[in-house]
Amino acid sequence: MNQDVAMMREALVLAGAVRGRTSPNPWVGCLVVPEGQGPISEGATEPAGGRHAEAVALDLAGDRARGATVYVTLEPCSHYGRTPPCADALLRAGVRRVVVGLADPDPRVQGSGIERLRQAGVDVTVGVCQDQVAEQLAPYIKHRSTGRPWVVLKLAATLDGRTAAPDGTSQWITGPAARHDSHRLRAESDAVLVGAGTVRADDPQLTVRGLDGHDDRQPLRVVLGRAPLGARVHPALELQGDLGAVLDELGRRGVLQLLDEGGATVAHAFHAEGLVDRYVLYVAPALFGGDDAAPMFRGPGAATVADLWRGRILSVTPLDGDLRLDIAGAGPVPVPASVSASVSASASVSASASVSASADREA
């Protein structure tokens, strides 16, 4: 393994550690490495309004950054938002070389940060561990490319694909380890969505619980339809209308990753319309043993074997007797050559919100 790959992998670890804390900004990792030495400083993106990863690492390095190589998972920005351009900070620090994992698909950047560095005489290498960075930043890439959030559909089922007993009880099919892991999934997400039927049946809180350091940041709670007054999901954003328009609205609110925890009807609707980017299935070694328990999806499915939806298993994680399966579509996360940030708002969506959320948060 060459040094560029090794250092970029370390930067990926730094970025992963702050995932769920930086939206609407991407989670980015950065290392400063003087020639012939190991890393002397490292940084990761701070919460929105704070420093970007490059600024954190450069501040720690101080004068030692002069003549060094900087490894950063995403292209340094070149525009003013809540913070100054990172490309300018790298030039002021006098770095000799910058290694970038992935060019930034944000229309405000799209190669301009790389070009600014090169024009100033900095040696820039792009594409080191690009596929791994694209996978890590898939929600950000989709949001900046389409204006919509990355949709994760979470399901918990028995071996025979059932999610609740005939009497409606569903707590609990999986064990404590799987449920704890599902809270990590919530913590990575900017919003959690359910249907009004789930609210009436289960009265969920949809909050992150039992994880250190996440009490001060909870995902936006979204209900399709109207939640009863007094439901524990409040304060929640209540949306009605076409699902594509719902995603457009959430994208405008700065939601990069949406976790769909809806019941069988909502799960079927997202799946049938091809709106799911990643499936996370928690499977318990249990059987209802009949056909009267609730299925994972409620609605018409594939009519023939030829029409089956086929995905790709990315990982299988044991969780103290249960399993977590992460499943994607057939292809890798696309890396757009060019993107458009325009989002059609022609579909009708109505919103009733008992929560405030900014639609115009800047990077």
Side-chain angles (χ1 to χ4, degrees):
M1 182 190 307
N2 65 39
Q3 185 181 30
D4 285 356
V5 171
M7 293 297 99
M8 191 60 71
R9 287 182 176 176
E10 287 193 29
L12 278 161
V13 172
L14 295 171
V18 296
R19 181 170 181 173
R21 302 173 184 269
T22 67
S23 291
N25 295 337
W27 39 102
V28 177
C30 180
L31 296 169
V32 177
V33 183
E35 187 172 359
Q37 300 182 40
I40 59 168
S41 67
E42 58 187 37
T45 310
E46 294 180 336
R51 296 171 297 173
H52 292 189
E54 301 95 318
V56 175
L58 290 173
D59 286 348
L60 288 172
D63 292 339
R64 295 177 297 167
R66 186 164 301 277
T69 296
V70 170
Y71 294 87
V72 61
T73 54
L74 187 68
E75 175 184 2
C77 63
S78 56
H79 64 284
Y80 280 90
R82 295 183 182 182
T83 60
C86 291
D88 289 355
L90 290 164
L91 293 176
R92 287 194 302 272
V95 303
R96 179 184 65 83
R97 181 173 179 244
V98 176
V99 181
V100 176
L102 181 70
D104 194 338
D106 190 310
R108 296 169 296 181
V109 187
Q110 284 189 326
S112 61
I114 294 168
E115 183 61 23
R116 181 177 298 186
L117 293 171
R118 284 176 171 163
Q119 287 181 351
V122 177
D123 179 12
V124 181
T125 300
V126 183
V128 175
C129 297
Q130 176 175 277
D131 290 346
Q132 294 95 314
V133 176
E135 174 65 30
Q136 185 180 70
L137 287 175
Y140 172 77
I141 293 171
K142 183 185 178 185
H143 182 267
R144 293 304 195 266
S145 302
T146 70
R148 290 181 174 182
W150 177 262
V151 178
V152 179
L153 175 59
K154 190 205 87 173
L155 300 163
T158 58
L159 285 175
D160 47 356
R162 302 291 169 166
T163 61
D167 65 358
T169 56
S170 60
Q171 298 178 353
W172 298 102
I173 287 176
T174 56
R179 298 199 299 275
H180 183 76
D181 187 77
S182 73
H183 279 274
R184 295 183 190 278
L185 193 57
R186 282 183 185 174
E188 291 180 356
S189 303
D190 303 302
V192 181
L193 177 146
V194 296
T198 293
V199 175
R200 289 190 294 268
D202 299 336
D203 195 21
Q205 297 181 63
L206 301 186
T207 55
V208 178
R209 301 184 298 278
L211 296 182
D212 293 338
H214 285 277
D215 292 340
D216 60 339
R217 185 188 184 277
Q218 293 289 342
L220 174 68
R221 292 177 281 187
V222 182
V223 177
L224 292 179
R226 296 282 186 172
L229 293 175
R232 295 193 300 171
V233 75
H234 288 302
L237 174 67
E238 298 168 307
L239 297 175
Q240 301 179 68
D242 173 76
L243 289 181
V246 167
L247 293 180
D248 290 342
E249 173 63 21
L250 293 175
R252 283 191 289 269
R253 290 173 177 266
V255 174
L256 303 190
Q257 178 165 304
L258 172 66
L259 179 60
D260 179 356
E261 293 195 28
T265 300
V266 171
H268 177 269
F270 273 87
H271 173 76
E273 293 190 30
L275 299 176
V276 180
D277 298 294
R278 188 63 44 86
Y279 297 77
V280 176
L281 176 59
Y282 293 96
V283 181
L287 296 167
F288 277 109
D291 60 3
D292 52 351
M296 287 190 285
F297 300 99
R298 181 169 286 112
T304 70
V305 171
D307 294 334
L308 282 174
W309 180 92
R310 294 187 183 274
R312 180 168 51 98
I313 296 178
L314 301 176
S315 62
V316 179
T317 307
L319 293 168
D320 196 18
D322 300 321
L323 292 177
R324 169 177 164 165
L325 281 69
D326 286 60
I327 305 168
V333 175
V335 180
S338 61
V339 296
S340 171
S342 62
V343 180
S344 172
S346 59
S348 173
V349 57
S350 62
S352 171
S354 54
V355 62
S356 62
S358 170
D360 300 306
R361 294 185 286 183
E362 291 186 4

